[in-house]
Structure formats: structure tokens, C-alpha cells
Amino acid sequence: MSTAYQLWHGQGTRSLRIMWLAEELGITDRITVHPVPFPPRMKAPEYLDINPRGSLPLFVDGAVRMTESIAICLYLLSRHAPTPLALSPAEPGYHDYLEYVVFGEASMMPPIGGIVRQLLIETPETRSATVLAEARENVAFRIRHISAALADGRDYLAGCRLTLADISVGYSLNLITALGEGAIIAPDVAAYLDRLRARPAWITASER
Ligand SMILES: N[C@@H](CCC(=O)N[C@@H](CS)C(=O)NCC(=O)O)C(=O)O
């Protein structure tokens, strides 16, 4: 099948959600991947000519240009429907699907960003142990919402199968471990993350 999509991708950044989804969908042969060093604002200023936001991902499909990782994933799911990676409104758990697709970005990433700031951006002089502890506590508290979805031995967040909800949340959980902060993650959620990271699609996508 001919290439139709273009993705500007930074290793470990939110564009990994699209790489992972593409592997699960079996459509990687349709995507031209443009690797971008992170952060582009400092390491690839020419990228600002293509994406003035300076953020990753950037996705292009003909005249379509998108820069929000979750919106791009939803776009690909609708372009490649039907797929088990999406839940339809008629299926049980549809509301959980919507909830966790959004939760992985909108609720998980801001406090994780607080940890990133303290660990990677602030200097020893400006770093605040209080702010870092507060961000860690906030992340741990939000992870309880993931535990609730996995109660009663459920393997996935919605619909008893892997969906975009798991890809959205799984990316955020993986980032916590990449920061060396895996101890924040409750054991049931850590086991869930291990299951996600054992998937061939994750392994292939995360190496690119
Ligand atoms: N909500 C957006 C956030 C995009 C974003 O902030 N991406 C980060 C990488 S994970 C980035 O490019 N940061 C560098 C910058 O904004 O300069 C999404 O989900 O795609």
C-alpha cells in the first residue's frame, strides 16, 4: 500500500502514541516518519518552519495537519474503522473508553510535567523539594483512577481489550518510569504497564 501519512516524531515524546497505534493497526507502511531531535525549539529550529508550535507530534495527511497526539490517534481510528482498538457507542464500557482516552493526556500529563520540570529543567539552585513532592503525590493520586478501572482483575481500561484508552494512559505511565519515578506507580498499575510494554507493537514503536 502506498504511503499516505507523514509523522514528525521524537523518540519518547507523545508521537510515540501514534507510532504505537500504527503498529497495532498494521499501517506503518503507510507512514513516512521524520525523526526530530528533542526539544526541537533548541535542537532543530528549522522544524518551526514546518510546525510553528514547535511541539511533537506533527501529522500530515494531504491537506490535513494535526498536532494533538490524541486527536491524531482518533483520526487514524476513524480512517481505519472498524477496528477493535476503538469502542463504539453501542458497546458496554464506551464511557470508560472516552474517559481514559482523555484522562491519559488531560489529567496525567500536567502533574507529570511538574516532575519533568523539577528534575530536568530546574537547576539545583532553583529546584524545589516541596514542589517535586507535591507533583509526585498528585501523580500517585491520579493513578488511583487507573487502579479503579483495573479492579476485579481487568487487564485493560475499557471493553476487555486493548484500545486507544490503554495507548493514551500507557504512554503517560511509561514516561513516569522513563523519568526514574516508577516507584510512584501502584503495583497493580505497574503490572498493567508491564503487560502493555510486552506487546510486540509497543516494543517496535518504542525503539524508533
Ligand atoms: N497536548 C499535546 C502536547 C504536545 C507536546 O507538548 N509535545 C511535547 C513533546 S511530548 C513537545 O513537543 N514539547 C516541546 C515544546 O513544546 O517545545 C499532544 O498531546 O500532542
Side-chain angles (χ1 to χ4, degrees):
M1 195 178 279
S2 66
T3 296
Y5 308 127
Q6 296 188 72
L7 178 68
W8 281 260
H9 168 61
Q11 198 174 35
T13 72
R14 287 163 171 97
S15 50
L16 177 50
R17 286 189 176 121
I18 293 106
M19 301 288 276
W20 182 9
L21 181 76
E23 290 286 345
E24 298 282 0
L25 281 170
I27 60 163
T28 51
D29 59 338
R30 299 199 61 182
I31 304 183
T32 299
V33 177
H34 304 276
V36 181
F38 187 83
R41 270 180 296 117
M42 289 160 181
K43 296 198 177 153
E46 68 282 2
Y47 176 66
L48 299 181
D49 296 336
I50 309 166
N51 177 13
R53 271 191 77 179
S55 60
L56 294 162
L58 167 66
F59 172 85
V60 172
D61 176 18
V64 171
R65 289 173 56 88
M66 301 175 75
T67 59
E68 285 291 332
S69 61
I70 299 301
I72 297 163
C73 289
L74 290 167
Y75 177 86
L76 285 172
L77 288 179
S78 57
R79 293 270 290 167
H80 296 275
T83 161
L85 293 163
L87 255 69
S88 71
E91 289 183 87
Y94 178 64
H95 59 285
D96 284 331
Y97 171 71
L98 295 180
E99 170 89 354
Y100 286 96
V101 166
V102 176
F103 181 82
E105 176 64 21
S107 286
M108 288 301 293
M109 290 305 289
I112 295 173
I115 295 177
V116 170
R117 177 169 192 89
Q118 289 301 315
L119 294 182
L120 304 180
I121 299 173
E122 300 288 355
T123 63
E125 294 74 39
T126 62
R127 192 167 294 145
S128 162
T130 308
V131 173
L132 178 58
E134 201 278 331
R136 283 179 174 140
E137 203 243 318
N138 197 347
V139 170
F141 202 77
R142 290 178 188 216
I143 285 174
R144 290 164 49 162
H145 194 48
I146 303 169
S147 289
L150 298 173
D152 304 325
R154 285 190 288 272
D155 284 340
Y156 301 105
L157 297 174
C160 302
R161 63 179 190 258
L162 183 96
T163 67
L164 177 58
D166 303 292
I167 290 174
S168 174
V169 168
Y171 168 77
S172 303
L173 291 172
N174 181 68
L175 180 56
I176 296 169
T177 65
L179 293 167
E181 297 285 320
I184 296 174
I185 302 176
D188 58 332
V189 177
Y192 161 71
L193 177 60
D194 286 344
R195 287 196 298 279
L196 295 181
R197 291 194 298 202
R199 298 182 70 84
W202 164 271
I203 293 166
T204 305
S206 61
E207 285 170 355
R208 293 193 69 188

